[in-house]
Amino acid sequence: DAGVTQSPTHLIKTRGQQVTLRCSPKSGHDTVSWYQQALGQGPQFIFQYYEEEERQRGNFPDRFSGHQFPNYSSELNVNALLLGDSALYLCASSARLAGHQSGELFFGEGSRLTVL
Amino acid sequence: DAKTTQPPSMDCAEGRAANLPCNHSTISGNEYVYWYRQIHSQGPQYIIHGLKNNETNEMASLIITEDRKSSTLILPHATLRDTAVYYCIVRVHSGGGADGLTFGKGTHLIIQP
């Protein structure tokens, strides 16, 4: 059973560019969340997708956007990259159980973005 | 979600029990306590969660005080592979929209050989 897979694992961009990160959730999961983890910090919640809609959003600017596809996979897009966007971007999947979102998230290994 | 307080770092000898404390004095009645850990260069891993009763699984035990203002994660026989950052999180199980987890800085647990 494949867990959460993310691509690419590493990438380097320059300021002002745009980036797209991809995530495939664990089999049987229907919800995808994205987190940003700066060096030495805990992960920070960006947003969550369920039924192809953004359901909740953390304190991130509109430069961060996402999408969820019918097969539950997801993309995170970041426009107009800043040096401060350099971080590990983590995707987590979960399942909606008995009408609420499970707090048991399964994380991928992350995509490490470096902005020069 | 309520805020949690954890010590920044702890040491534990290999083979001994590791007891990681977490303070969540402002926790509300519908908030669960979750523990995750993150081994270096990997994504966080779910360990255990509970509401008010003590919980145990194959990885760890969770002891929640009667007033629910603090909890302790216990790794009964720590190994070198348990060296990681451990995050204590409190979270509502909402019936409506989804809500993201709020991670703090966690406790860096170092298992000494």
Side-chain angles (χ1 to χ4, degrees), chain B residues 2-6 20-29 31-33 35 50-54 62-72 88-90:
Chain B
K3 182 179 172 60
T4 62
T5 304
Q6 298 178 254
L20 291 92
C22 179
N23 182 288
H24 32 80
S25 58
T26 60
I27 193 170
S28 59
E31 287 184 308
Y32 285 70
V33 180
W35 284 83
L51 182 62
K52 54 184 178 181
N53 297 320
N54 297 337
L62 173 60
I63 308 298
I64 302 174
T65 58
E66 191 169 344
D67 64 7
R68 302 187 69 238
K69 294 187 176 185
S70 65
S71 60
T72 301
C88 170
I89 300 163
V90 293

Side-chain angles (χ1 to χ4, degrees), chain B residues 3-16:
Chain B
K3 182 179 172 60
T4 62
T5 304
Q6 298 178 254
S9 65
M10 293 181 63
D11 288 347
C12 179
E14 188 177 18
R16 303 297 293 270

Side-chain angles (χ1 to χ4, degrees), chain A residues 96-108:
Chain A
R96 182 169 283 265
L97 304 170
H100 67 261
Q101 280 294 340
S102 168
E104 183 177 346
L105 303 184
F106 287 77
F107 283 82

